[in-house]
Amino acid sequence: MKLSQSIQNISAGLILAVFGCAAAAAQNYQLPGQHRQQHGDLLANQGSTGAQVENTSKYLEALFAEEEEPEFDIYTEGWDSQHVNCYAGVSVPETADIDVSKFAMPVPGYITSPYGYRRRFRRMHKGVDLKVNIGDTVYAAFDGRVRITNFERRGYGYYVVLRHTNDLETVYGHLSKFLVEPDQYVKAGQPIALGGNTGRSTGPHLHFETRYMGYAINPCAIFDFANQTTHTDTYTFDKRTYQNARNFSPKANEEYAQAYRAKYPNKPVPASASSGRSSGSKSYTVRKGDTLGRIAAKNGTKVATICRLNGITTKSVLRPGQKLRLR
C-alpha cells in the first residue's frame, strides 16, 4: 500500500510540473515582430470591411441604375395550381455535377439587371435581365422539353419553363410570343419565343433564370454573358454557393454592352407591343417609386431628353406629383 501511494504521489507531482511548465511557456510566448504587425494589420482591415462592401454595393447600384423591378417568384407566389415548383418536399442533394457543355445563349444581350437581393424592393431577383428588342428571337439554352407556357400579369408576363436533359430548368420571362407548346421537345439553340415587354416590365428585356430542383442558381455561375459562353463544361451545384457568380465582371459587361448597342441598335417599339401606355404624351406626372429610367422606358424617350427638357440631372430627386416634360 505504501509503495502504491508513493507512485501516485510521484505521478501527481510530475503532472503538476508539466502543466506548470506549459503555463509558464504560454505566459512567456510572444509572436515575432513581423507576425505581430500582420496581426495588427488584419484587425485594422476588419474595421473597414463594412465600408468596402457598402462602396461595392453603391457601385453596382450606379452601374445598373435603370434596373427593372424584380418579378414575383412564380415558384412560390400564387402558382400552386400550376405546380411550377414540382420539387416541393423533394430531397435535394448537397452537391451535383451538371453537364453544361451543350448550350446556346438564350439571347445575345448584355445584363441590364443582375441576380441578387434588391434592397430597394426588399426581395431577391432570382435571375438576370438581358437586353432584347421586342420581337428578337429567344433560344433554348439546353436540350429539353417545354414544361410550361403561361402568362402572369403582375410578374413574368408571357413566360416559358423548360426542363432539360441535364436536370436543370430554365425560365424565360416578359415574352411577346410563344414559338413552342407544352410537352414539345426542343434542342439547344432552337427558337422558343420572341422577346417582349409583358407583365411587370418597364422596358423590353428577357428575364432569364437557371434552376436546379427548385433552387434558383445565379446564371452568372454557369454563363459568361460578356463572352457569350459557359465558364466550364461542367457546373457543380452546391447548396452553400449556388447564389454566387463565377468571374462576373460588371466592367466586362459594360464593355460588351457598348459593342452590343453598336451592333444591335434599338428598334422602334410597335404601339401594339408597348405596355399599354401612350408614347405620344408631352408630359408625365411622377408617381411614388418612379425613376428617370422607368419614366423614359414607359414613354418611349430617353433619360437625357427628359433631363434636358426639364433642366435636371440624373441625380435629381423626383417628387410624387411633379410634372415632367417628355417632348
Side-chain angles (χ1 to χ4, degrees), residues 25 38-39 44 58 66 72 84 99 104 106 114 165 168 172 185 202 207 212 215 218 225 230 234 268 276 292 299 309:
Q38 291 175 349
H39 184 65
K58 289 181 177 178
E66 298 181 20
F72 287 114
V84 178
D99 182 3
T165 54
L168 286 179
Y172 311 76
Y185 187 82
T202 59
H207 176 79
Y212 175 70
Y215 281 75
N218 188 335
F225 292 98
T230 54
T234 301
L292 286 172
N299 294 277
L309 292 174

Side-chain angles (χ1 to χ4, degrees), residues 246-257:
R246 186 165 15 166
N247 302 329
F248 173 62
S249 169
K251 182 178 179 181
N253 181 65
E254 179 56 31
E255 291 175 353
Y256 176 70

Side-chain angles (χ1 to χ4, degrees), residues 211-268:
R211 290 184 178 251
Y212 175 70
M213 299 187 74
Y215 281 75
I217 300 167
N218 188 335
C220 290
I222 299 174
F223 291 93
D224 178 353
F225 292 98
N227 292 297
Q228 295 289 283
T229 186
T230 54
H231 293 291
T232 54
D233 287 344
T234 301
Y235 165 72
T236 300
F237 167 81
D238 189 316
K239 283 184 178 178
R240 299 167 300 175
T241 61
Y242 72 93
Q243 293 184 330
N244 299 338
R246 186 165 15 166
N247 302 329
F248 173 62
S249 169
K251 182 178 179 181
N253 181 65
E254 179 56 31
E255 291 175 353
Y256 176 70
Q258 293 177 6
Y260 176 91
R261 286 191 289 262
K263 185 176 181 180
Y264 303 98
N266 285 332
K267 300 175 184 176

Side-chain angles (χ1 to χ4, degrees), residues 109-150:
Y110 57 91
I111 296 174
T112 60
S113 182
Y115 175 101
Y117 182 74
R118 295 290 180 271
R119 290 186 299 174
R120 188 158 51 127
F121 308 117
R122 297 182 182 180
R123 63 176 181 265
M124 278 289 291
H125 185 225
K126 296 186 177 182
V128 295
D129 291 344
L130 300 171
K131 175 62 179 176
V132 294
N133 291 310
I134 291 177
D136 285 353
T137 304
V138 177
Y139 304 94
F142 305 101
D143 293 354
R145 193 173 297 279
V146 180
R147 191 156 71 82
I148 293 175
T149 62
N150 214 328

Side-chain angles (χ1 to χ4, degrees), residues 32-189:
Q34 182 180 2
H35 289 188
R36 288 201 304 272
Q37 180 63 42
Q38 291 175 349
H39 184 65
D41 292 343
L42 179 60
L43 291 175
N45 288 336
Q46 287 177 353
S48 63
T49 301
Q52 293 173 359
V53 171
E54 183 178 358
N55 290 338
T56 300
S57 298
K58 289 181 177 178
Y59 170 74
L60 289 175
E61 287 176 2
L63 183 63
F64 299 105
E66 298 181 20
E67 68 184 15
E68 308 296 340
E69 184 169 358
E71 297 79 358
F72 287 114
D73 185 359
I74 56 175
Y75 281 71
T76 60
E77 298 184 18
W79 283 90
D80 291 342
S81 62
Q82 290 292 319
H83 300 291
V84 178
N85 185 3
C86 58
Y87 297 104
V90 174
S91 178
V92 180
E94 292 293 323
T95 63
D97 290 333
I98 301 170
D99 182 3
V100 294
S101 59
K102 297 178 181 179
F103 75 96
M105 301 303 292
V107 292
Y110 57 91
I111 296 174
T112 60
S113 182
Y115 175 101
Y117 182 74
R118 295 290 180 271
R119 290 186 299 174
R120 188 158 51 127
F121 308 117
R122 297 182 182 180
R123 63 176 181 265
M124 278 289 291
H125 185 225
K126 296 186 177 182
V128 295
D129 291 344
L130 300 171
K131 175 62 179 176
V132 294
N133 291 310
I134 291 177
D136 285 353
T137 304
V138 177
Y139 304 94
F142 305 101
D143 293 354
R145 193 173 297 279
V146 180
R147 191 156 71 82
I148 293 175
T149 62
N150 214 328
F151 177 75
E152 209 289 305
R153 181 180 61 82
R154 299 182 307 145
Y156 290 66
Y158 291 105
Y159 71 91
V160 173
V161 180
L162 300 183
R163 169 74 61 79
H164 300 292
T165 54
N166 60 5
D167 293 331
L168 286 179
E169 286 196 332
T170 50
V171 182
Y172 311 76
H174 305 304
L175 308 170
S176 61
K177 183 179 181 180
F178 300 134
L179 301 179
V180 291
E181 298 177 349
D183 295 325
Q184 180 178 340
Y185 187 82
V186 297
K187 301 288 288 183

Side-chain angles (χ1 to χ4, degrees), residues 19-33:
F19 276 101
C21 291
Q27 291 174 355
N28 295 328
Y29 178 75
Q30 293 182 352
L31 287 170

